[in-house]
Amino acid sequence: MLKAHRLARGWSARQAIEELEDLCEQHGLGLPRANIDLLNAWENNRARPRPQTIDLLARLYKANAVRLGLAADYCEDTGGPKVVVVAQGRPEEAVRADAGHRTDRSADYWGDHSADHGVDYRADYRADHSADYRVDYRADHRADHRADDARRRALFHHATLMGRPDGRFFAEVEGTRHDLDRALAIGTVTEDQLDRLDEQVLRHRREYMTTPPMPMLCRVMLEIADVRKLTVMRQPASAQRRLLTATTMLALLSADALMKLGDTRQAHAWYGTARTASDDVGDLRLRALVRAQQTMLLYYYGDLNETVRLAREARMLAGSAPSSPAALAAAAEARALARMGDGKAARTALAEAEQIFARMRGLRQDDLAFVFTEKRMVFYRTGTLIELGDAQQIEAIDAFPPGFQTIDPALILLDQAAHLARNGDHEEACRIAAEALSQVPAEHRTSIVVTRAKALLADADPRRPAVRHLSRVLAESSARLAL
């Protein structure tokens, strides 16, 4: 309710604090103990203002503490006198009315004088009157809301049957509109929180380029736990859209980390979560990004036909404009088609990926996760040409640009090894696989590289020196597998 009063006046949090300071200066009330962070905490029920501050907020918004959502209303609607105005005074001046219902300013008095005497009189007062404070305000609010809703529904049904609306009927219509306006205005997330969240997501995407998957997954999980608390509450459409976009990116980071760790079941599930969030946003390019990223999981652990289908779906969603999702989807389709043996279609898709990427060169390309940069183009181009058997390109594998992702050169070498193994050269395949593993730092040597190297031993002659060497390297890697 406190936030609704601020938004109804069109104030930002900063403007509200400035208005409060002006009010205090005009009336000689001293400097208020309030700032933007405290106001956000009060509006989102993470903290409660001091009694003196509640009085100042009531003056600012020209409302009482009950209407601000900072106090509970215990009055019984019996039709008798129910409004009691109490001037600020000493606790013995508290006024009783309506058979024991009271309005008591003593807590404000003790709060004002605690600092003067160095004693927390409020604690003593609450101890003496603990029954008055043991109230679940939120439960009371929900119960009151249900009661009001039932009363209104009964009134509207009655008016429907009788067909004769009276003044009370129109008052309830107006009251319904006021409640709806408050519901639309109330949100639990501020613009500052959303800005910080966007910054955090960008930082995670940047760190993901070099951070091992396990610690990265832990960081992302902690971030998601915070985001989830915001998404469970109803938010304005603009805020909800930003939250869902952040959720999509965090879910993609989680899925990719789990893919590297070899947990394909959870990786598929997190891609599903990313798809749900992106579909809710409705941004076609974001939806395309989720599907294009998921093609990697299908390529390494799944069905090549499904990889091609999902890549084409991503391309359709991305449209004709040059973008990272469009380029990634075309490149992923080319690599999968090449591995399936459809050389003509693979070369066509690769040429289309190159064209899309060439049109992107004028766009800003930060070194972030999910941005299709020159490094990613080299990665997919080389992988596709390896599967097509282009010997000249295979010899140029070492010519990667500096700053390549930690495991990408190893994945390229493993692609080459797998291609050689499928063509019967198992010994050379094992030699290259052992070289690939040696290039990967221990903290990055996860299931995605170890499992692919281990698969090469299935049809290899264990007596061959290169095969024995790969077996030893795999034994060392499995003992310290970063899972």
Side-chain angles (χ1 to χ4, degrees):
M1 289 188 188
L2 187 61
K3 186 174 184 178
H5 280 274
R6 173 172 63 80
L7 295 177
R9 287 162 173 77
W11 294 345
S12 66
R14 184 179 300 279
Q15 287 174 308
I17 294 299
E18 290 174 352
E19 292 288 340
L20 184 62
E21 291 174 348
D22 290 343
L23 174 71
C24 292
E25 183 178 353
Q26 291 172 10
H27 296 277
L29 301 174
L31 189 65
R33 297 186 179 181
N35 55 44
I36 294 175
D37 291 334
L38 283 174
L39 182 59
N40 286 336
W42 300 336
E43 290 180 344
N44 296 314
N45 296 320
R46 295 194 303 272
R48 181 176 175 79
R50 295 157 51 91
Q52 301 94 315
T53 306
I54 293 176
D55 182 73
L56 295 176
L57 291 170
R59 291 171 183 257
L60 176 66
Y61 293 124
K62 295 180 172 57
N64 59 33
V66 173
R67 292 187 177 181
L68 293 177
L70 298 174
D73 185 358
Y74 301 107
C75 295
E76 294 181 0
D77 189 6
T78 58
K82 53 185 178 182
V83 178
V84 179
V85 179
V86 181
Q88 184 169 355
R90 301 183 65 83
E92 60 269 19
E93 295 171 351
V95 179
R96 293 180 177 270
D98 287 344
H101 295 283
R102 69 183 181 181
T103 303
D104 195 341
R105 294 297 301 270
S106 57
D108 288 351
Y109 175 82
W110 293 128
D112 293 339
H113 291 76
S114 292
D116 296 339
H117 299 282
V119 179
D120 189 358
Y121 293 110
R122 289 172 296 179
D124 295 339
Y125 181 84
R126 286 195 297 269
D128 294 338
H129 300 81
S130 57
D132 295 336
Y133 288 87
R134 292 173 184 168
V135 179
D136 186 344
Y137 295 107
R138 285 176 295 182
D140 283 354
H141 177 72
R142 289 193 295 268
D144 291 344
H145 178 76
R146 287 193 296 268
D148 287 344
D149 185 60
R151 177 176 51 77
R152 278 183 181 161
R153 291 174 67 86
L155 175 67
F156 293 147
H157 281 302
H158 180 72
T160 301
L161 294 173
M162 300 302 294
R164 294 193 303 273
D166 55 11
R168 183 183 175 192
F169 171 83
F170 289 109
E172 292 295 348
V173 170
E174 185 176 15
T176 301
R177 180 182 61 80
H178 284 311
D179 286 350
L180 182 58
D181 285 344
R182 281 195 294 269
L184 291 174
I186 292 174
T188 61
V189 62
T190 66
E191 287 296 321
D192 288 342
Q193 287 176 299
L194 290 172
D195 290 342
R196 286 195 293 270
L197 175 59
D198 289 342
E199 292 170 4
Q200 286 288 88
V201 171
L202 280 175
R203 182 171 62 83
H204 289 315
R205 290 174 62 189
R206 186 171 291 107
E207 291 176 349
Y208 190 74
M209 305 301 288
T210 55
T211 304
M214 192 62 191
M216 196 70 232
L217 183 62
C218 294
R219 296 177 197 175
V220 173
M221 288 297 106
L222 290 172
E223 196 69 46
I224 289 175
D226 291 336
V227 173
R228 186 184 64 81
K229 296 174 185 177
L230 299 175
T231 56
V232 295
M233 302 295 292
R234 190 258 170 213
Q235 306 292 349
S238 58
Q240 189 71 8
R241 184 182 178 87
R242 292 177 67 180
L243 282 172
L244 287 170
T245 301
T247 301
T248 300
M249 291 299 180
L250 293 172
L252 284 178
L253 289 171
S254 303
D256 198 77
L258 287 162
M259 176 188 69
K260 291 178 180 178
L261 292 170
D263 193 338
T264 57
R265 184 189 67 81
Q266 289 241 53
H268 275 295
W270 276 100
Y271 276 122
T273 299
R275 181 179 294 202
T276 298
S278 65
D279 289 350
D280 280 350
V281 174
D283 185 321
L284 291 178
R285 189 169 293 181
L286 186 63
R287 295 175 64 195
L289 175 64
V290 173
R291 288 154 177 80
Q293 286 294 136
Q294 192 173 3
T295 59
M296 290 188 292
L297 177 64
L298 295 169
Y299 179 80
Y300 288 120
Y301 293 104
D303 183 354
L304 291 175
N305 286 311
E306 183 64 13
T307 304
V308 173
R309 185 200 67 78
L310 198 59
R312 288 172 177 170
E313 181 181 341
R315 294 183 66 181
M316 180 185 67
L317 289 169
S320 59
S323 64
S324 286
L328 172 59
E333 180 184 352
R335 187 173 61 165
L337 287 169
R339 188 169 172 185
M340 292 168 65
D342 191 345
K344 182 178 179 180
R347 292 184 186 278
T348 300
L350 181 60
E352 291 171 348
E354 298 275 14
Q355 290 172 3
I356 295 170
F357 181 71
R359 294 165 62 197
M360 290 171 55
R361 292 187 187 278
L363 303 177
R364 180 179 176 183
Q365 295 183 27
D366 294 329
D367 198 15
L368 301 171
F370 318 135
V371 175
F372 199 79
T373 61
E374 177 70 33
K375 301 172 189 177
R376 303 306 295 161
M377 189 68 248
V378 170
F379 176 76
Y380 278 94
R381 180 193 302 127
T382 307
T384 301
L385 294 174
I386 285 173
E387 296 296 345
L388 291 173
D390 192 323
Q392 181 179 357
Q393 291 294 333
I394 292 174
E395 292 172 0
I397 287 178
D398 294 333
F400 290 120
F404 221 72
Q405 281 198 49
T406 307
I407 67 170
D408 279 359
L411 290 176
I412 287 292
L413 288 171
L414 288 170
D415 279 344
Q416 183 185 4
H419 179 76
L420 291 170
R422 286 195 295 272
N423 287 278
D425 194 348
H426 296 288
E427 187 168 9
E428 179 63 10
C430 289
R431 186 194 67 77
I432 292 176
E435 179 186 346
L437 288 176
S438 67
Q439 293 182 4
V440 181
E443 64 272 17
H444 287 273
R445 201 174 298 170
T446 56
S447 290
I448 194 171
V449 291
V450 172
T451 302
R452 296 187 68 209
K454 191 178 295 185
L456 298 172
L457 297 176
D459 299 320
D461 185 350
R463 296 170 296 178
R464 296 284 186 175
V467 178
R468 292 200 304 270
H469 177 58
L470 177 60
S471 297
R472 288 194 298 271
V473 172
L474 283 170
E476 295 173 2
S477 299
S478 297
R480 56 188 181 187
L481 188 62
L483 180 55

